[in-house]
Amino acid sequence: MLQTDTHSANEKEKFTINPFELFEEGYTYNTETFPSKSFSTLVLNGLLGINIPLLYGGMGWGETSMNHELLRLLSYIGSVDLSLGRIYEGHINALLLIGEFGSENQKKRYFNEALEGKLFGVWNSELPFETLKLELHNRNLNLIGAKIFCSGASHVARPIITAETTNGKQMIIFHMDENELEEDYSYWKPLGMKASVSCRFNFSGVFVENDQLLGQANQYEMQPEFSGGAMRFASVQLGGAEAAIHATLQHLKKLERTENQDQKRRMGQLAVLMERGRLWIEGAGKAVDNKVANPSGYLHYANMFRTEARNICEEVLRLSEKSVGLQGLMAPHPLERIHRDLSVYLKQPGPDRALSEVGSYFMHNSSRR
């Protein structure tokens, strides 16, 4: 069982297995298609409801000072498979949005569906010339436009999509299993993260019901939550960095190169980087715990965390590549897949803006202790 002082006995009993030991060593990665088997493992062990409040039958992680553990779990799943981590993080995000902005009926319905195994997600990206709009036609709410980078594709039963209205951007809990949309991969030809199946969907001509509207217009991008969510994807990324470190170590052991002094120095650097990442995750958990009391500090920490996570990951890839050499960039070496996936996943929007905000906050709020 998961050993943590903040768990109650009832919470522990809900686990059939330590969630940090779900996947065995030697786990086989599916690099091209949706990781269905892995998600079945998450469903069978109740992890689709891990951040659903206890009141609604979930594990309650995130409402009982379990934010560090939740970020650790995202990092662990990222170390197993970054595409799996990307889609799972989207599921966690969707449930947080429903918990924050959903009506009581929406919470009861959609939390129960997640507990039954339905996968949720958040699809916000779009091209400028096909912005998704929600318009009223003959008393019907009609969608016009498309979304890109829809991670999980049709496997996501309940994506939260955003659409422009006359009042601003509106969140909608879309029912994929009640509509037939074509997966369009013409815009998804990535170097890595292929198994996230992040396709394009054209929603034009589809109608939605009023009870699918989540919250009020313009709540999706409300701060500090909108930018604070970077803590989750940064945790997944750091899990990928740990996977790269372990793949490098296993390579050196296999070739009996662990006594080489240059390799020792690089592994020392990698060990320091791994510990740095874990400490940042611990600090991020504390920042989330304290976000209500200090929302600006929470946002500041999120911007620092995503910046440092990218720096750590890029340095890990550089050192791992140098240690393993050409073999690490050739399939089926484990490092090759991790390198491709992490390189793509690190390309999150707005890194310069985040760092500028870090600088601005620091200049206006720093003081000598």
Side-chain angles (χ1 to χ4, degrees), residues 327-337:
Q327 292 183 59
L329 299 179
M330 297 176 62
H333 197 285
L335 185 60
E336 184 270 344
R337 177 197 56 80

Side-chain angles (χ1 to χ4, degrees), residues 25 244-256 258 267 333-334:
E25 289 288 337
I245 292 170
H246 288 297
T248 301
L249 178 58
Q250 292 306 312
H251 175 87
L252 296 178
K253 286 181 175 180
K254 183 178 180 180
L255 296 184
E256 299 182 351
T258 55
M267 286 308 305
H333 197 285

Side-chain angles (χ1 to χ4, degrees), residues 47-49 87-95 114 118-121:
L47 266 70
L48 292 196
I87 300 167
Y88 184 61
E89 188 277 322
H91 175 84
I92 295 294
N93 187 13
L95 296 181
K118 285 190 184 295
L119 182 60
F120 286 65

Side-chain angles (χ1 to χ4, degrees), residues 13-175:
E13 289 173 1
K14 290 184 179 181
F15 287 114
T16 58
I17 187 173
N18 184 335
F20 297 96
E21 296 178 355
L22 282 175
F23 300 95
E24 298 177 356
E25 289 288 337
Y27 168 83
T28 301
Y29 303 91
N30 187 339
T31 61
E32 300 292 332
T33 58
F34 181 82
S36 299
K37 185 177 180 181
S38 301
F39 266 102
S40 294
T41 299
L42 298 182
V43 172
L44 289 172
N45 288 279
L47 266 70
L48 292 196
I50 197 145
N51 70 321
I52 290 175
L54 296 170
L55 177 64
Y56 298 92
M59 301 289 187
W61 286 30
E63 67 172 356
T64 54
S65 299
M66 293 292 293
N67 290 295
H68 176 216
E69 285 78 2
L70 182 59
L71 295 178
R72 279 185 60 219
L73 180 64
L74 287 168
S75 180
Y76 167 68
I77 293 178
S79 74
V80 172
D81 185 334
L82 283 163
S83 289
L84 178 69
R86 167 69 189 94
I87 300 167
Y88 184 61
E89 188 277 322
H91 175 84
I92 295 294
N93 187 13
L95 296 181
L96 287 170
L97 290 170
I98 292 170
E100 180 72 17
F101 301 114
S103 66
E104 185 61 24
N105 287 338
Q106 286 176 326
K107 291 176 185 179
K108 288 179 180 178
R109 173 180 178 172
Y110 293 115
F111 285 159
N112 185 63
E113 289 185 346
L115 291 169
E116 291 178 344
K118 285 190 184 295
L119 182 60
F120 286 65
V122 179
W123 299 341
N124 181 50
S125 299
E126 57 195 16
L127 296 171
F129 56 84
E130 56 181 10
T131 300
L132 186 62
K133 298 178 181 179
L134 181 65
E135 298 180 351
L136 183 63
H137 288 293
N138 298 323
R139 299 183 180 179
N140 292 315
L141 294 171
N142 184 35
L143 289 169
I144 303 171
K147 289 290 183 184
I148 59 172
F149 304 147
C150 300
S151 295
S154 299
H155 300 275
V156 178
R158 296 288 183 267
I160 294 176
I161 60 175
T162 54
E164 291 295 334
T165 70
T166 55
N167 296 321
K169 184 176 289 187
Q170 175 67 51
M171 290 183 285
I172 302 164
I173 305 173
F174 193 75
H175 298 175

